[in-house]
Amino acid sequence: MSLLHVFGFGLKVGHLLWMLCCWIASMISMNWFINGEFKDAKAGLLGDSGSKMWFKCWDKISSYSFKIHHHYYQYIGSKTLGKTWWRKLLFSWVIVWTVASIWIFCYMSSQATEKRKETLASMCDERARMLQDQFNVSMNHIQAMSILISTFHHGKHPSAIDQRTFARYTERTAFERPLTSGVAYAVRVLHSEREQFEKQQGWTIKRMDTLEKNPVHKDDYNPDLLEPSPIQEEYAPVIFAQDIISHVVSIDMLSGKEDRENVLRARKSGKGVLTAPFRLLKTNRLGVILTFAVYKGDLPSNATPNERIQATDGYLGGVFDIESLVEKLLQQLASKQTILVNVLDTTNQSHPISMYGSNASDDGLEHVSHLNFGDPFRKHEMRCRFKQKPPWPWLAITTSIGILVIALLVGHIFHATVNRIAKVEDDFHEMMELKKKAEAADVAKSQFLATVSHEIRTPMNGVLGMLHMLMDTDLDVTQLDYVRTAQASGKALVALINEVLDQAKIESGKLELEEVQFDLRAVLDDVLSLFSGKSQDKGVEVRHLYCTDPIHPPPPLLSSFLFYP
């Protein structure tokens, strides 16, 4: 449809240029004709036959141009069809740009969302990296302390470390473990050695599982009220602890389910292992314990799991209060208030354990950063969300609306232009119709004048004939003068009728010019004789001057303008 419309527009422009060329050529030809040069040039260059062929070709070209123009307006440029096409084109324009505006809005909104996601990912990854780095620092320091205990406690007799020394050392080096809430050491005690061990320490090995089943408030906690650990093959009572967690001294780490699994995995693998999140003793806050096995100094690096179990002397654990530690970490960041952070233990994917944070958020965006705390068995991740809902995409809204408004304005301009062109074309067609009607009326008038003039000339010829015969009769001078005046008036009337016929020939393009000689004195006498009666009644004397040499007369139509009022 659009290609056909463009083709029609091209025909219209071509026809306009062709009409302009024809008008220029016609003006030049008319100037030549008026100046008398066209005739000589035509006779000299083309001759009579060549000029006729040229005029025929000109008429054919003009007729073909008119036919092309007529067919265009009939099949392509008609008013009804043009309006229908333009409405469809305008409707398609509006639909296309509406869809384009919606697409631009969606694209810019998606770009803003992607940028928001990238910002969230960057902030979340930064926090996860800081938490992981500081955890690794704490883990390395705890591992170094396990080597220290192996060297100065189990490698020395007597031991160079006691509770007081251990507490002072861990308190002074707490800055090297920024995420730990406390450090404790539990020694490995076989059942055969329990009695001697309890006498040496001065206290009884206590059990932990009772506290796991019945947690108590920190103000009600009293380690002396705990039950003794049940009989089992081996025990892991805490003998050294940092002052902040000194309440765990004498508690058997193997009597708690979570700690037992953690201890057994640590001594078997030789690496640091983490417990699942659980409520810490006394504080009742959520935390985890990082455990390292302390081996005898002669254990080879490629020892088997059984060799590691046999060479185990004890277990060094670092307690991590997750809630307070993550909050302390986030306070170090200037933008801590912009996002919500959740730390989860996802070892069990179907039932992840929340270690820090809340899931309440008004934003649907979420980014997950994986955490690696050195224990391949346990999986942790950090989930981050923005605290507030995303702002309205004003840039996308204003851009899409602006483009749509511009497109609608362009469509309105084209619509007004096409309507104006259509109005001009309608006025042109109306003027052409009026011109045709005027030309038809003029032709009818010319035909009427020719017919009436011809009919009037016939009886006038009879009147003139009778006057001529009357002049041959016996008339006195006065009567003869009257008859001559009547005959002259009749001849003037016949000349006027001939001039009307000549005017009709001029309008039809069939007038032929002649060169004839005439007697100027006779013409003047005839003219004066027509006005002699009126001039005598008014007392006006009319005279004329003439010469005897014959001259060429002016055209008949021009003479009527010169001698008749």
Side-chain angles (χ1 to χ4, degrees), residues 143 146 254 258-275 289-295 299 304-305 307-309 311-318 374-377:
Q143 187 176 13
S146 66
L254 292 179
E258 190 67 37
D259 288 285
R260 181 181 180 85
E261 294 177 357
N262 194 41
V263 167
L264 295 179
R265 283 197 306 115
R267 73 180 184 181
K268 187 176 181 180
S269 62
K271 298 179 180 179
V273 296
L274 288 170
T275 63
I289 296 178
L290 174 65
T291 303
F292 281 96
V294 178
Y295 301 104
L299 180 68
T304 62
E307 292 177 347
R308 291 182 181 277
I309 294 174
T312 301
D313 284 333
Y315 315 97
L316 182 65
D375 186 355
F377 178 76

Side-chain angles (χ1 to χ4, degrees), residues 407-506:
L408 293 178
L409 289 176
V410 172
H412 176 72
I413 292 172
F414 275 107
H415 179 67
T417 303
V418 170
N419 287 339
R420 180 62 180 172
I421 293 173
K423 187 178 183 302
V424 172
E425 291 177 351
D426 293 340
D427 294 341
F428 173 76
H429 291 315
E430 184 177 357
M431 292 177 62
M432 292 297 294
E433 293 295 331
L434 293 176
K435 179 183 177 183
K436 290 179 181 179
K437 291 180 181 180
E439 290 177 350
D442 189 56
V443 171
K445 181 192 71 174
S446 300
Q447 292 178 353
F448 173 75
L449 290 176
T451 303
V452 172
S453 300
H454 186 270
E455 295 296 333
I456 294 175
R457 188 171 55 179
T458 300
M460 285 302 301
N461 290 330
V463 172
L464 291 176
M466 291 298 103
L467 291 174
H468 183 71
M469 293 176 65
L470 183 61
M471 291 177 64
D472 293 337
T473 60
D474 294 333
L475 300 173
D476 57 18
V477 177
T478 303
Q479 292 175 341
L480 183 60
D481 185 59
Y482 289 162
V483 171
R484 286 178 179 176
T485 301
Q487 188 180 25
S489 299
K491 289 181 180 180
L493 182 59
V494 171
L496 180 61
I497 293 172
N498 291 333
E499 289 178 359
V500 172
L501 294 176
D502 291 340
Q503 184 179 1
K505 289 181 179 180
I506 290 174

Side-chain angles (χ1 to χ4, degrees), residues 23 34 55 132 160-161 170 221 271 323 334 374 402 513 537 547:
W23 179 78
I34 292 174
F55 279 115
Q132 186 171 300
I161 301 175
T170 53
Y221 178 78
K271 298 179 180 179
E323 296 181 6
L513 300 179
D537 294 338
C547 59

Side-chain angles (χ1 to χ4, degrees), residues 284-453:
N284 202 29
R285 295 172 64 90
L286 195 65
V288 295
I289 296 178
L290 174 65
T291 303
F292 281 96
V294 178
Y295 301 104
K296 294 180 172 61
D298 56 353
L299 180 68
S301 59
N302 58 349
T304 62
N306 291 329
E307 292 177 347
R308 291 182 181 277
I309 294 174
Q310 296 299 324
T312 301
D313 284 333
Y315 315 97
L316 182 65
V319 181
F320 293 84
D321 187 347
I322 300 298
E323 296 181 6
S324 61
L325 296 179
V326 175
E327 185 66 28
K328 187 186 299 182
L329 172 66
L330 296 180
Q331 288 177 356
Q332 299 176 10
L333 300 173
S335 58
K336 64 180 184 301
Q337 299 296 332
T338 58
I339 64 173
L340 297 175
V341 175
N342 296 329
V343 180
L344 295 95
D345 186 320
T346 57
T347 304
N348 186 356
Q349 293 289 342
S350 59
H351 296 88
I353 302 174
S354 178
M355 302 170 64
Y356 172 81
S358 171
N359 292 326
S361 175
D362 293 334
D363 193 6
L365 291 179
E366 183 180 66
H367 180 75
V368 178
S369 297
H370 296 281
L371 299 172
N372 183 12
F373 291 148
D375 186 355
F377 178 76
R378 308 215 64 87
K379 306 295 181 182
H380 301 86
E381 61 185 31
M382 178 181 288
R383 298 179 183 178
C384 303
R385 291 183 180 182
F386 284 106
K387 285 186 176 181
Q388 299 177 351
K389 291 182 178 180
W392 285 88
W394 291 113
L395 181 60
I397 293 174
T398 54
T399 302
S400 58
I401 292 177
I403 291 175
L404 181 60
V405 169
I406 292 173
L408 293 178
L409 289 176
V410 172
H412 176 72
I413 292 172
F414 275 107
H415 179 67
T417 303
V418 170
N419 287 339
R420 180 62 180 172
I421 293 173
K423 187 178 183 302
V424 172
E425 291 177 351
D426 293 340
D427 294 341
F428 173 76
H429 291 315
E430 184 177 357
M431 292 177 62
M432 292 297 294
E433 293 295 331
L434 293 176
K435 179 183 177 183
K436 290 179 181 179
K437 291 180 181 180
E439 290 177 350
D442 189 56
V443 171
K445 181 192 71 174
S446 300
Q447 292 178 353
F448 173 75
L449 290 176
T451 303
V452 172
S453 300

Side-chain angles (χ1 to χ4, degrees), residues 203-214:
W203 39 258
T204 305
I205 300 176
K206 307 296 191 301
R207 62 186 302 176
M208 181 187 291
D209 54 354
T210 303
L211 292 174
E212 292 179 350
K213 295 178 182 180
N214 302 307

Side-chain angles (χ1 to χ4, degrees), residues 111-184:
Q111 290 296 316
T113 303
E114 289 297 326
K115 185 176 181 180
R116 187 175 172 85
K117 287 182 179 179
E118 292 177 359
T119 302
L120 179 62
S122 176
M123 297 173 68
C124 192
D125 291 340
E126 179 185 9
R127 285 155 176 76
R129 184 173 58 254
M130 291 181 63
L131 179 61
Q132 186 171 300
D133 291 344
Q134 293 192 23
F135 186 87
N136 290 334
V137 171
S138 300
M139 183 178 63
N140 293 335
H141 191 267
I142 293 173
Q143 187 176 13
M145 287 183 64
S146 66
I147 299 175
L148 181 68
I149 292 174
S150 176
T151 304
F152 293 97
H153 178 66
H154 296 284
K156 297 288 185 178
H157 298 283
S159 174
I161 301 175
D162 56 8
Q163 169 60 28
R164 183 179 179 183
T165 305
F166 185 87
R168 291 178 63 186
Y169 175 80
T170 53
E171 189 68 29
R172 292 181 178 181
T173 59
F175 68 93
E176 297 182 359
R177 306 180 304 277
L179 297 184
T180 57
S181 300
V183 181

Side-chain angles (χ1 to χ4, degrees), residues 96-112:
V96 168
W97 279 105
T98 302
V99 174
S101 300
I102 295 174
W103 180 84
I104 290 172
F105 171 75
C106 295
Y107 176 76
M108 295 186 69
S109 298
S110 63
Q111 290 296 316

